[in-house]
Amino acid sequence: MTDPIIVMKQQVGKAAAEYIESNSIIGLGTGSTTAYAIEHIGKRLQSGTLKNIVGIPTSFQAEVLAKQYNIPLSTLDMVDHIDIAIDGADEVDPYKNLIKGGGAAHTQEKIVDSLAKKFIVVVDGNKMVDKLGSTVPVPVEVIPKALTPVIRQLKELGGSPDLRMGVKKAGPVVTDQGNLIIDTKFDYVNDPKSLEAIINNIPGVLDNGLFVDVADLILIGEIIEDVPVVREF
């Protein structure tokens, strides 16, 4: 029997992919639910219901998946706009603000997602929170030489910073840009917009996982009475 959670993620990804129109430039996000969107975009191309699209990947993972499903790729150097971007999130608040970066790709994601005319977020229901910071820390990408002073300043902001360590790898997680991730837990993020700017103004910080006023549409997957459903927010 198929896991209903997997089916739900597939349905959310498929719902997002249905928003893609032919002759579009699309941002391809990172994560397990977004992976199903990329897969469905590839199937639509193969079937001919979608034509002449170009993908801009936000990570090495997204690039590999896009190639696997024969989605033509380009770079930000080669395009002058992005029509639509699809990406996941680790938390979503009632104002459509996000925390992203669980996959250590939030810097590239923020660049692509912010450029898109329409940014669609795909999540499952447990990612919805009343306040950001309720369940996950704020990831902060930092250049390696600035690690210690940045940690000190994050503590001064009231955060509890931890260097993200690799799984099945000795040492810290290294981003696609060759930097490190400091996961910084705040009790709650009361003013995401201000905190995003303050953290990004710390010398040595590349970007952080707070996405404020970027998302346009949230597609939420839920399981109701053992049946996977997708709702819009």
Side-chain angles (χ1 to χ4, degrees):
M1 183 176 177
T2 306
D3 185 341
I5 293 176
I6 293 176
V7 174
M8 176 264 289
K9 289 190 173 207
Q10 289 172 334
Q11 289 188 0
V12 176
K14 182 176 180 179
E18 290 296 330
Y19 277 89
I20 304 297
E21 298 179 353
S22 295
N23 308 306
S24 296
I25 300 170
I26 55 175
L28 302 174
T30 308
S32 59
T33 306
T34 312
Y36 290 119
I38 294 173
E39 178 182 357
H40 190 66
I41 291 167
K43 288 179 178 178
R44 289 189 63 198
L45 278 172
Q46 187 177 13
S47 69
T49 60
L50 192 61
K51 297 178 181 178
N52 190 31
I53 65 162
V54 174
I56 308 294
T58 60
S59 66
F60 183 68
Q61 181 216 32
E63 182 179 343
V64 169
L65 279 171
K67 288 177 179 176
Q68 180 180 335
Y69 294 111
N70 298 311
I71 299 172
L73 295 179
S74 189
T75 66
L76 291 171
D77 293 329
M78 302 299 293
V79 301
D80 59 3
H81 72 283
I82 296 173
D83 294 294
I84 192 167
I86 299 172
D87 212 341
D90 302 307
E91 281 187 348
V92 181
D93 77 4
Y95 306 98
K96 297 182 182 175
N97 297 318
L98 321 172
I99 289 181
K100 291 175 49 54
H106 61 270
T107 297
Q108 290 189 62
E109 290 170 343
K110 191 178 287 189
I111 294 167
V112 171
D113 298 342
S114 297
L115 287 171
K117 295 176 184 176
K118 187 181 187 74
F119 173 32
I120 298 176
V121 180
V122 290
V123 292
D124 52 77
N126 62 15
K127 304 294 177 66
M128 306 302 294
V129 296
D130 292 329
K131 279 193 174 183
L132 295 182
S134 301
T135 62
V136 297
V138 177
V140 179
E141 182 166 356
V142 58
I143 63 173
K145 287 187 177 181
L147 181 64
T148 301
V150 169
I151 284 176
R152 189 181 305 122
Q153 290 183 71
L154 289 170
K155 286 180 179 177
E156 290 174 2
L157 288 175
S160 300
D162 273 315
L163 178 63
R164 187 182 298 182
M165 303 304 288
V167 178
K168 297 185 180 180
K169 170 194 176 294
V173 168
V174 178
T175 71
D176 288 355
Q177 289 78 238
N179 298 314
L180 304 176
I181 297 287
I182 304 170
D183 287 317
T184 308
K185 181 64 178 170
F186 294 90
D187 289 338
Y188 290 104
V189 179
N190 291 312
D191 188 346
K193 189 169 188 175
S194 292
L195 186 60
E196 179 184 26
I198 290 167
I199 293 175
N200 280 353
N201 276 330
I202 298 174
V205 169
L206 201 62
D207 212 325
N208 70 80
L210 289 165
F211 283 51
V212 179
D213 298 331
V214 182
D216 296 301
L217 174 66
I218 316 292
L219 296 180
I220 306 161
E222 296 174 316
I223 297 175
I224 300 174
E225 296 180 354
D226 297 325
V227 177
V229 297
V230 179
R231 65 182 175 94
E232 296 185 357
F233 164 53

